Amino acid sequence: MLQRLFETDGEVADKEILPCLQELLADSSLADICSLQCLGAEVVIEAAEGKRLRKEGVREHIFPLAMSMLSTNDSKVIQAWTKAVILLLPLLDTSEVEKTVLPFALENGEVSKSADQRLLCASLVGALASNLSVEAINGPSTSATSKSAPSLFKRAMALCQDTDHN
């Protein structure tokens, strides 16, 4: 039913349904919240694959929710929302991607992070490579990241040498 609403009246979905979905999935007091969060990711993935999402709704509601889901402690939730974020990247302005996703990916790829976080970084790095300019990929760091942060290319090369994941 939600998919049909995206198809028939995207503006209503953006203004009325997506804020409710965002609030529901962020409510950690709900029983079995991880299952609901994974289901929410599946809905977003299906809508994104079907090209039924509007840029406005993605920017205002879905993308902030998706980025917050990547910071949870549940690996299933992170895995589900990683795919959603990757599918949402083409619907975002490059400046927003450079300001939010790029620093997040670079931070999660540090050697001190867990193997799951570095795997998340690797997935995002792969998706970012086709959504950013050569300058943003090769560095020096964009204004959104600190001057000491590695470039996306250097982080990708370091991840290629990471042997810690099964």
Side-chain angles (χ1 to χ4, degrees):
M1 185 167 124
L2 188 56
Q3 296 298 339
R4 198 169 329 150
L5 183 60
F6 281 124
E7 289 175 14
T8 59
D9 199 346
E11 193 171 337
V12 169
D14 287 352
K15 292 181 180 175
E16 297 179 25
I17 304 299
L18 292 179
C20 294
L21 181 65
Q22 184 179 19
E23 187 176 326
L24 173 71
L25 296 179
D27 186 355
S28 61
S29 68
L30 296 173
D32 203 17
I33 188 65
C34 293
S35 294
L36 281 174
Q37 290 170 337
C38 289
L39 182 61
E42 289 175 26
V43 168
V44 169
I45 289 166
E46 189 175 317
E49 287 175 337
K51 302 199 184 315
R52 293 186 289 265
L53 296 175
R54 294 166 27 103
K55 287 185 177 189
E56 297 80 17
V58 169
R59 276 195 303 270
E60 290 178 34
H61 305 289
I62 298 175
F63 181 67
L65 172 66
M67 289 302 293
S68 71
M69 292 294 121
L70 295 182
S71 297
T72 66
N73 292 326
D74 189 287
S75 61
K76 290 180 183 176
V77 173
I78 292 170
Q79 187 176 17
W81 282 96
T82 298
K83 183 174 181 182
V85 167
I86 290 169
L87 291 170
L88 296 175
L89 289 177
L91 297 172
L92 300 169
D93 295 329
T94 303
S95 62
E96 180 148 14
V97 172
E98 289 181 5
K99 186 175 73 178
T100 56
V101 184
L102 180 58
F104 181 84
L106 294 175
E107 178 184 323
N108 279 282
E110 293 178 4
V111 177
S112 62
K113 299 294 183 172
S114 71
D116 284 341
Q117 288 171 305
R118 293 192 312 274
L119 186 61
L120 166 63
C121 172
S123 297
L124 292 175
V125 164
L128 288 170
S130 63
N131 287 285
L132 296 176
S133 68
V134 173
E135 294 79 22
I137 292 169
N138 290 331
S141 300
T142 64
S143 60
T145 60
S146 71
K147 296 296 179 198
S148 62
S151 69
L152 186 66
F153 179 74
K154 288 180 181 176
R155 181 66 77 208
M157 294 305 293
L159 288 168
C160 288
Q161 298 170 0
D162 190 343
T163 60
D164 194 26
H165 191 68
N166 307 3

